[in-house]
Amino acid sequence: MIMNKWQALALASVFGLPAVAYAEHDGQVTVSAVRGDQLASYQRKGIGLYRYDQEHDGVVISQAMLSSRFELTSDWSAHTVLNAHPDPELTVGFTQAYLQYQPLTASRYKWAVKAGGFYPKMSLENPQSGWMSPYNYTNSAINSWIGEEVRAFGLETSIKRPGRKFRSNHSFEGFAAVFKGNDPAGTLLSWRGFAMHDRQTTFNEQIDFAIPHSFEWTQLDKQAEYVEPFEEVDGRFGYYVGAHWDYQKKSQLRVYYYDNNGDPGALNTRTGQYAWDTRFLSAAWLYKFNKQTRIIVQILNGKTAMGTNRGVDNDFYSHFVLLSHKLDQHRLTIRYDYFKVSDHDDWQFDPNQSRGEALTASWRYQLSTKWQVGAEYSVLSSDAQNRPGMGFNEHNSQQQLQLSASWHF
């Protein structure tokens, strides 16, 4: 696939740079033995909501990531994250690439600007390098979707009020960004619903899903049988704003409002991608009971629409509650997810209603600074009104078991 100009600009902002003064790299390779579910995965145009299925499980490379930081001057740095995935076919590409300006200043306030392709910092579940999670191997439904359909290709500015500089227990940080290249976000939620996995979409990638019967109707016959989530379709700028509050590293809150400002009637006839009008509010909270035990809660609530006169018009909602306890080199985590998509349009031939819930339990053991092993078991129950039209049951239950070994370098 060929990158659009906004993805190319994201990479050019990093690679079209002067000599690097200093560089640091870290990465991760995770090999997993997975027992998948009998339902074919969405990656294989099935209705399964996990990454793997019984036809494509076994021993797999579930993660291969290299995160790099290039220090150009005391104020300027470049950042890239390169990911490799063997499924559904071998893909190597960038999931982030941006240039950051963070000046050293005598002011008690700290500010920064970055340009390129990057995640909004709305997740407290994925704080590690490369947007990885130290908790479960399978991300929550919220952050599975963020990882596959949401990325900003643009400019972000932030300002921080560090508590220690003001002799306060409270720190605050504000974010504002404008971007392009995220117009089709919402496609998967409407025709597949939420899923649960750890796969991040690279800049130039497309994502498959089971083709609903409604695609045979004239109103949807121009839509491709896949989504390219980072394509620019309508020429409009989107934006997001966010706020962080931190109390002594014990309680952290992140609230974001995202709006891609999509024109739902715009269509790229060459690629079959519509511009979806997608907006949502995300609120994430982390609380540490003590050094060993913490809870993370996140809520996502939004709307998405596409087509002339908003022929597809849906609300979406999800929340999760995660409890994690660390004992010596062990970390035990359990998470409950709930998710749903509500259909509010008049296209009776295209039902988009779906809902589900899941329970995921994980154990991780740190063998050394470089090696970690672990296990995870997840169960998921879901309903989708478009499944009978494809010849499947509306309700399905799934489960997934995996044993993993990770090498950090």
Side-chain angles (χ1 to χ4, degrees):
M1 295 174 61
I2 299 174
M3 290 187 182
N4 66 47
K5 66 178 181 179
W6 296 101
Q7 297 164 4
L9 283 172
L11 293 176
S13 69
V14 173
F15 293 113
L17 297 171
V20 174
Y22 172 77
E24 60 181 10
H25 311 275
D26 65 273
Q28 175 182 328
V29 176
T30 300
V31 177
S32 300
V34 183
R35 182 177 181 182
D37 192 80
Q38 62 181 353
L39 287 178
S41 169
Y42 68 91
Q43 290 204 101
R44 312 285 176 173
K45 293 185 177 292
I47 63 168
L49 301 184
Y50 286 128
R51 179 177 175 180
Y52 305 104
D53 55 45
Q54 285 185 355
E55 296 297 320
H56 304 91
D57 56 8
V59 178
V60 298
I61 298 175
S62 53
Q63 289 291 344
M65 179 276 297
L66 176 65
S67 177
S68 302
R69 180 182 183 274
F70 306 94
E71 187 174 316
L72 309 175
T73 69
S74 59
D75 298 336
W76 289 89
S77 59
H79 304 255
T80 62
V81 180
L82 187 68
N83 291 72
H85 303 295
D87 56 321
E89 58 186 22
L90 180 61
T91 301
V92 179
F94 290 96
T95 52
Q96 298 186 69
Y98 60 90
L99 180 65
Q100 181 167 284
Y101 176 65
Q102 191 168 10
L104 297 175
T105 173
S107 170
R108 290 188 293 177
Y109 289 90
K110 307 297 180 183
W111 64 278
V113 177
K114 63 183 181 182
F118 46 83
Y119 284 105
K121 293 183 177 179
M122 59 184 67
S123 175
L124 286 166
E125 183 187 24
N126 302 77
Q128 291 186 328
S129 177
W131 209 72
M132 297 293 182
S133 172
Y135 305 110
N136 299 110
Y137 291 102
T138 301
N139 288 333
S140 63
I142 293 174
N143 291 308
S144 293
W145 177 63
I146 297 296
E148 62 188 358
E149 270 205 309
V150 176
R151 215 69 47 85
F153 297 89
L155 187 72
E156 179 197 83
T157 182
S158 63
I159 185 167
K160 184 175 183 178
R161 179 189 181 276
R164 67 182 183 278
K165 296 286 187 178
F166 292 83
R167 296 183 180 179
S168 170
N169 292 326
H170 303 271
S171 295
F172 301 93
E173 191 168 10
F175 297 82
V178 292
F179 62 86
K180 283 196 172 185
N182 205 184
D183 286 340
T187 304
L188 291 176
L189 292 183
S190 296
W191 288 316
R192 182 204 62 191
F194 285 94
M196 295 183 61
H197 55 82
D198 61 344
R199 195 184 189 286
Q200 300 178 49
T201 307
T202 59
F203 285 176
N204 61 332
E205 202 172 6
Q206 67 183 37
I207 308 171
D208 291 330
F209 54 90
I211 306 307
H213 179 66
S214 57
F215 277 30
E216 297 179 7
W217 289 66
T218 303
Q219 292 92 327
L220 292 173
D221 62 2
K222 294 181 176 63
Q223 168 66 45
E225 297 183 351
Y226 54 83
V227 58
E228 297 181 11
F230 309 138
E231 182 173 315
E232 177 57 40
V233 178
D234 60 9
R236 294 181 176 183
F237 282 94
Y239 72 93
Y240 66 79
V241 292
H244 295 189
W245 166 70
D246 188 329
Y247 174 72
Q248 293 186 326
K249 301 294 183 181
K250 182 176 183 179
S251 182
Q252 300 176 45
L253 178 67
R254 298 184 180 184
V255 179
Y256 279 77
Y257 180 75
Y258 166 103
D259 186 347
N260 74 349
N261 191 32
D263 174 4
L267 166 68
N268 184 331
T269 55
R270 179 179 60 84
T271 63
Q273 301 297 304
Y274 279 88
W276 292 67
D277 182 10
T278 300
R279 60 195 71 180
F280 61 83
L281 180 70
S282 170
W285 175 62
L286 180 151
Y287 181 77
K288 297 179 181 178
F289 297 100
N290 49 52
K291 291 183 178 181
Q292 291 76 37
T293 308
R294 63 187 60 185
I295 187 172
I296 300 176
V297 178
Q298 188 171 357
I299 298 172
L300 182 80
N301 190 40
K303 297 178 66 68
T304 188
M306 64 77 72
T308 305
N309 299 319
R310 296 176 180 266
V312 178
D313 190 355
N314 300 317
D315 292 348
F316 57 91
Y317 171 86
S318 182
H319 70 256
F320 73 81
V321 180
L322 179 154
L323 184 65
S324 186
H325 178 75
K326 194 172 187 299
L327 179 63
D328 297 326
Q329 302 304 108
H330 302 267
R331 179 177 287 281
L332 300 172
T333 303
I334 188 167
R335 187 188 66 231
Y336 169 78
D337 284 86
Y338 175 81
F339 47 90
K340 69 175 181 178
V341 176
S342 303
D343 191 339
H344 296 288
D345 58 64
D346 296 325
W347 284 2
Q348 300 300 316
F349 66 88
D350 181 44
N352 305 125
Q353 191 94 6
S354 64
R355 65 167 298 279
E357 55 186 344
L359 192 64
T360 305
S362 301
W363 162 76
R364 294 192 179 203
Y365 181 74
Q366 198 71 40
L367 290 169
S368 66
T369 56
K370 293 184 177 294
W371 286 95
Q372 183 187 87
V373 295
E376 178 181 271
Y377 180 67
S378 181
V379 292
L380 185 158
S381 175
S382 66
D383 298 86
Q385 288 187 352
N386 64 3
R387 288 174 182 168
M390 295 183 282
F392 299 99
N393 293 330
E394 181 173 329
H395 173 80
N396 283 290
S397 297
Q398 296 181 256
Q399 55 184 327
Q400 180 176 272
L401 174 67
Q402 67 182 83
L403 306 176
S404 298
S406 300
W407 174 51
H408 298 261
F409 59 92

